[in-house]
């Protein structure tokens, strides 16, 4: 046991420097470390445990809706990437190329997958022959690589971990249903597991995925008013399938082309968790994915009976919750700060007086609320408290989202908000991408986030050009 | 539902052509498909589900012994790979090199990890300072790449999936204990989960992992008498740590160098499962990792009540076992052959007569034994039967291992066995790698597999050179 008394290192305040606050948190909570490879991160045990909990939850949702996991190759031959024009244009500038294998120079460059549409298409061509082979509902958990110029842990790194679903369907209707179902799955996962509210909707043509007919997105709002593309679900129509020559014999015995979707979320979600829920004391983790849900801190640990009681509680609780007992010699104050920084949702304090009274203290991380709890009711109260934390941080995030959503009906108003009040701007749009370009230029980076499923009528004309408006759009800066 | 009546395609007999039998099985049981990237395989849903079951089981074992999962970068800068001499010599000839990122040519080549010792060392250098930081017990699940010339699905592919544990310890004793513990974990996993018996022991210097002081191995015996390196656990001493400048302040306040281990198993294990348990009808899967443990085949499915009863049984059993009900219009005979090929351990047949008698038929895949079972006792009997299958295929594999293990005390005897009786050859060895080279040359590829933990005294002299023997060695050809 450590005699040494380390102090929890300081974290830069959010208000002072949000970017520095973010990197302080990811480093000091031991989520990641940098490596000697530009833009590639090391995900440390505490960070990876969050990812494992995310994976387990999402994977269960995917399997319940009939999806199967597969594994495709890491490398894509250049000619395969080039089969679909938009796709290669979108990705070729940002891939890593393998040109040597062992001692030999390869006759064709291979790129490290930035995404695997083309690999799935190549495989589907072989295994889809009849309508009986459809739908194909495949997903893969893997690493992908995009050669990024500026990187930030979780938010934008050259290599990241993700899941990519790729499905093939008999009809457009079925494929659209899948596209929407998977977006809904993400929305539910964000809400019910990560305690993160978000705006969802359709991307404009300009912001669509390279090669997709429609891209749907989930856009949570970070604490500082910057949005983040939290997950996307794409409908491809039959275009990729045509490029790859995938056909099937339909129910009416004609040759048909299947309709395709893809959808994905990545380790970037961990960045969202940090920036939506975190505060100046560090991480605040949603209970459902917290590697430690409850930390037990014994008070006056050398007094007789304290450690024994703490261990007894740990034994009692460990089958039901992810529990850690910190038996180290560090002071309770140090431990409080340490596990607050690590975002542990609940702290249980127990000392000699508590034991006398058959009670303990529970403290919720997000609001530091203290409750005295009878030891007889402990498991039930912990259950309730974890739910309270979930609901509490969800509400707080929802208020932030609402507070950081403004409405603009004129360009002046728009520019004023863009400059002075970071967040979403709801405004009308004519449908022309020239207006998206202009707004981006004038605002130093505000882009259309999405056209929500339920549009409001804020004005008759486009906020930018004044022509008749076609859609209400959420705008904002993004990570 | 399919009206079409496909017949199960023929599988080449093992006796006729074992290699073709193997590729027939992996293809026809839909475990893998080939991709357009040389040596990279597509792991299809049925194959990947086996891997997921393997992962879940092993990961639990690792965590129970205190290991934590992390994720290291995919790419290794050339200078980092070169830090340890033996390691770079061992791996540099067989790695894939990234030389271009996006549009630019890189100033330093990056290789796709063939294994991650050097990445772990670079990270450990940063996070290990005191004996209090030890041990570090990290593991990672990931893809790795080795540029192989001839490849075979699961057994030898350029890209494969694996886990690699990398640990650091205060003392040699602790590190050796870890090395042996992890080998034991593999041994138990092979025996208790995969139903595969194996020889374990220490590699000779010649066969050690590039950079390791000691390599321990688990070597199961395939049905055709060829061995397979089924998993390895390495003790590195302090050599890598010295190369990387990793030191810590010891309990006595002196600067010390930690002792290191690494250990790994890969998707190659699926190859072992196929070649140890499979037969001329296809796969035979160990119940603990079978994606489907029990398939329900309704007989005379159009007779009233049959499908209903089959569904009722599925409902009753699905929480307890991995169950599939095949409701398709294919004939029972086709289904029997199909699920035999897929290696499903148990088949449940139920028809009108069975329903009348409140019974069903259970057939065990590995020996086609039929049992009539009262529906009242079904879950218990299935439980027993799955255990019977596990024990039965383990015994069969053990007999094969024994039958395919010979003893040679003279070189003539050795060469005769090597030519005529594929399998392990136990023989004495002087300790000189020149004899290993000579035996390999004379036998067209027989190598030392390992020095077992309990050596027998078969003779006084080396089977090859006649000098005094130091060790008893298991020899054999390998995949």
């Amino acid at each position: 046991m450590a005699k040494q008394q380390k102090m929890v290192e300081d974290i830069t305040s959010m208000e002072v420097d949000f970017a520095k606050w973010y990197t302080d948190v990811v480093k000091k909570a031991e989520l990641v470390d940098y490596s000697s490879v530009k833009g590639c991160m090391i995900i440390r045990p505490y960070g990876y445990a969050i990812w494992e909990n995310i994976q387990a939850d999402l994977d269960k949702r995917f399997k319940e809706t009939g999806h199967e996991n597969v594994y495709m190759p890491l490398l894509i031959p250049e000619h395969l990437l080039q089969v679909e024009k938009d796709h290669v244009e979108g990705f070729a500038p940002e891939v890593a190329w393998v040109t040597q294998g062992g001692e030999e120079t390869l006759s064709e460059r291979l790129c490290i997958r930035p995404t695997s549409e083309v690999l799935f298409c190549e495989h589907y061509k072989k295994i889809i022959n009849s309508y009986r082979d459809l739908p194909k509902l495949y997903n893969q958990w893997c690493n992908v690589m995009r050669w990024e110029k500026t990187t930030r842990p979780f938010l934008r790194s050259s290599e990241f971990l993700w899941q990519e679903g790729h499905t093939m369907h008999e009809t457009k209707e079925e494929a659209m249903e899948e596209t929407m179902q998977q977006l809904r799955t993400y929305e539910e996962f964000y809400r019910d597991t990560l305690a993160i509210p978000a705006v969802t909707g359709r991307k404009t043509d300009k912001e669509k995925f390279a090669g997709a007919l429609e891209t749907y997105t989930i856009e949570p709002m970070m604490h500082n008013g910057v949005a983040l593309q939290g997950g996307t679900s794409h409908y491809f129509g039959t275009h990729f399938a045509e490029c790859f020559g995938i056909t099937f014999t339909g129910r009416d015995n004609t040759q048909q082309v299947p309709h395709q979707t893809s959808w994905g979320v990545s380790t970037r979600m961990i960045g969202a968790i940090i920036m939506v829920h975190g505060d100046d004391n560090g991480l605040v983790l949603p209970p459902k994915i917290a590697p430690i849900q409850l930390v037990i801190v014994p008070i006056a640990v050398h007094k007789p009976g304290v450690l024994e009681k703490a261990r007894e509680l740990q034994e009692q609780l460990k089958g039901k919750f992810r529990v850690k007992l910190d038996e180290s010699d560090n002071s309770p104050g140090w431990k409080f700060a340490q596990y607050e920084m690590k975002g542990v949702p609940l702290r249980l304090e127990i000392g000699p007086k508590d034991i006398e009274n058959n009670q303990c203290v529970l403290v919720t991380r997000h609001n530091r609320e203290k409750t005295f709890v009878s030891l007889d009711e402990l498991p039930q109260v912990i259950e309730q408290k974890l739910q309270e934390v979930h609901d509490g941080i969800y509400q707080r995030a929802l208020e932030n989202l609402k507070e950081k959503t403004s409405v603009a009906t004129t360009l002046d108003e728009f520019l004023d908000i863009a400059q002075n009040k970071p967040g979403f701007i709801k405004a009308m749009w004519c449908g022309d991408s020239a207006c998206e370009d202009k707004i981006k230029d004038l605002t130093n980076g505000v882009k259309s986030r999405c056209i929500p499923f339920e549009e409001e009528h804020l004005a008759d004309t486009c906020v930018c050009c004044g022509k008749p408006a076609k859609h209400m759009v959420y705008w904002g800066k993004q990570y």
Side-chain angles (χ1 to χ4, degrees), chain A:
Chain A
M1 257 169 283
K3 278 261 154 82
Q4 199 183 26
Q5 173 93 4
K6 276 200 304 184
M7 288 306 293
V8 174
E9 293 161 274
D10 277 345
I11 294 169
T12 308
S13 160
M14 283 179 152
E15 303 302 321
V16 172
D17 185 342
F18 194 82
K20 184 139 193 335
W21 168 83
Y22 180 79
T23 46
D24 280 359
V25 169
V26 294
K27 280 283 286 183
K28 290 177 182 169
E30 300 186 337
L31 299 179
V32 303
D33 192 17
Y34 298 97
S35 79
S36 65
V37 186
K38 178 186 155 291
C40 291
M41 61 182 165
I42 293 166
I43 308 181
R44 300 185 66 181
Y46 198 63
Y48 199 79
I50 295 174
W51 182 239
E52 287 182 308
N53 291 335
I54 286 174
Q55 275 192 300
D57 184 308
L58 270 177
D59 197 67
K60 191 158 168 278
R61 292 174 194 261
F62 296 159
K63 283 179 177 152
E64 280 168 0
T65 43
H67 299 90
E68 300 179 292
N69 286 333
V70 299
Y71 188 76
M72 293 282 158
L74 172 69
L75 300 177
I76 303 175
E78 189 164 15
H79 77 269
L80 202 61
L81 193 66
Q82 287 171 338
V83 171
E84 208 282 337
K85 198 181 107 296
D86 289 342
H87 197 66
V88 67
E89 277 173 15
F91 284 106
E94 57 173 46
V95 295
W97 292 103
V98 173
T99 60
Q100 291 161 10
E103 324 260 69
E104 50 171 332
T105 299
L106 304 181
S107 57
E108 181 185 20
R109 297 195 297 180
L110 306 169
C111 80
I112 298 179
R113 61 181 164 219
T115 178
S116 306
E117 271 73 11
V118 298
L119 294 166
F120 277 85
C121 281
E122 193 193 28
H123 180 54
Y124 279 145
K125 181 179 165 63
K126 290 200 225 171
I127 63 168
I128 294 173
N129 295 298
S130 151
Y131 70 90
R132 291 188 193 89
D133 300 323
L134 296 172
K136 283 279 179 258
L137 306 173
Y138 287 180
N139 176 61
Q140 110 169 324
W141 292 95
C142 67
N143 55 343
V144 288
M145 184 160 272
R146 297 174 189 179
W147 210 255
E148 300 282 357
K149 291 214 166 56
T150 45
T151 61
R152 211 182 302 207
F154 297 122
L155 298 177
R156 193 166 290 276
S157 49
S158 291
E159 184 188 12
F160 56 89
L161 304 181
W162 79 344
Q163 62 66 218
E164 46 179 325
H166 296 271
T167 69
M168 285 288 192
H169 305 265
E170 223 180 312
T171 63
K172 174 176 179 174
E173 290 64 40
E174 254 189 47
M176 277 303 300
E177 201 179 298
E178 168 82 7
T179 311
M180 300 309 296
Q181 172 193 279
Q182 293 313 102
L183 185 75
R184 264 196 320 273
T185 297
Y186 292 151
E187 205 175 352
E188 289 162 11
F189 174 74
Y190 265 88
R191 185 188 64 211
D192 302 337
T193 301
L194 304 184
I196 295 180
V199 166
T200 56
R202 184 161 56 89
K203 287 282 185 193
T204 62
D205 282 351
K206 187 178 161 61
E207 300 294 329
K208 278 184 337 191
F209 181 79
L213 285 190
E214 296 292 356
T215 289
Y216 298 90
T217 183
I218 174 163
E219 306 267 336
M221 173 50 63
M222 304 302 103
H223 193 81
N224 63 343
V226 177
L228 183 132
Q229 187 172 292
T232 45
S233 186
H234 315 290
Y235 169 65
F236 285 96
T238 58
H239 183 57
F240 264 84
E242 278 159 21
C243 291
F244 280 84
I246 308 172
T247 59
F248 67 94
T249 311
R251 288 167 200 270
D252 60 359
N253 229 18
T254 62
Q255 283 305 100
Q256 299 176 25
V257 181
H259 293 255
Q260 186 177 0
T261 85
S262 83
W263 29 275
V265 292
S266 74
T267 35
R268 164 175 268 207
M269 285 192 289
I270 300 175
I273 294 168
I274 299 167
M275 293 194 295
V276 168
H277 297 309
D279 64 24
D280 278 348
N281 298 312
L283 282 178
V284 175
L285 292 179
K288 294 208 177 123
I289 54 89
I292 305 166
Q293 295 177 306
L294 172 80
V295 61
I296 302 175
V297 178
I299 310 294
V301 67
H302 298 301
K303 292 267 172 79
V306 171
L307 193 54
E308 289 69 16
K309 193 67 189 177
R311 285 179 182 162
E312 192 189 310
L313 292 179
Q314 182 193 27
E315 276 307 303
Q316 183 200 345
L317 298 171
K318 77 179 183 191
K320 302 184 186 76
F321 310 100
R322 295 187 287 272
V323 180
K324 180 186 167 118
L325 164 62
D326 187 341
E327 295 193 3
S328 75
D329 280 359
N330 293 310
S331 72
W334 183 87
K335 290 178 189 174
F336 294 173
Q338 173 71 6
Y339 296 103
E340 284 190 352
M341 186 180 63
K342 291 211 152 196
V344 176
L346 271 186
R347 176 171 83 227
L348 186 159
E349 306 169 11
I350 185 143
K353 267 220 183 109
D354 299 312
I355 296 171
E356 247 172 59
N357 298 325
N358 190 44
Q359 69 178 24
C360 68
V361 178
L362 284 182
V363 184
T364 42
R365 162 66 181 90
H366 69 301
N367 58 5
R368 287 185 170 163
E369 213 176 80
K370 271 190 171 200
T371 316
F372 288 89
V373 180
S374 157
L375 294 184
D376 302 331
E377 295 167 356
L378 197 49
Q380 304 90 287
V381 178
I382 290 173
E383 192 77 54
Q384 280 166 27
K385 286 280 167 194
L386 290 174
Q387 189 61 49
E388 258 178 61
V389 174
H390 179 93
D391 296 342
I393 63 177
Y394 181 84
Q395 276 310 319
R396 208 160 69 174
L398 188 61
E399 278 151 33
N400 183 58
L401 171 66
K402 283 183 185 161
E403 189 221 303
K404 293 202 165 60
T405 302
S406 310
V407 172
T409 50
T410 68
L411 188 57
D412 283 348
E413 219 179 344
F414 193 104
L415 298 177
D416 180 50
I417 297 168
Q419 185 152 14
N420 300 310
K421 188 163 180 289
F424 286 131
I425 307 172
K426 297 196 284 190
M428 303 309 285
W429 174 57
C430 61
D432 190 342
S433 68
C435 286
E436 292 177 85
D437 291 337
K438 188 173 169 195
I439 283 177
K440 191 179 160 197
D441 284 349
L442 291 173
T443 55
N444 195 20
V446 170
K447 293 198 212 176
S448 69
R449 308 303 321 145
C450 66
I451 302 162
F453 295 114
E454 291 183 17
E455 301 177 35
E456 298 160 62
H457 183 81
L458 308 169
D460 294 331
T461 55
C462 174
V463 76
C464 181
C465 68
K467 287 189 193 142
K470 281 203 184 129
H471 290 293
M472 191 201 90
V473 168
Y474 274 89
W475 306 80
K477 289 200 182 174
Q478 67 169 0
Y479 275 103

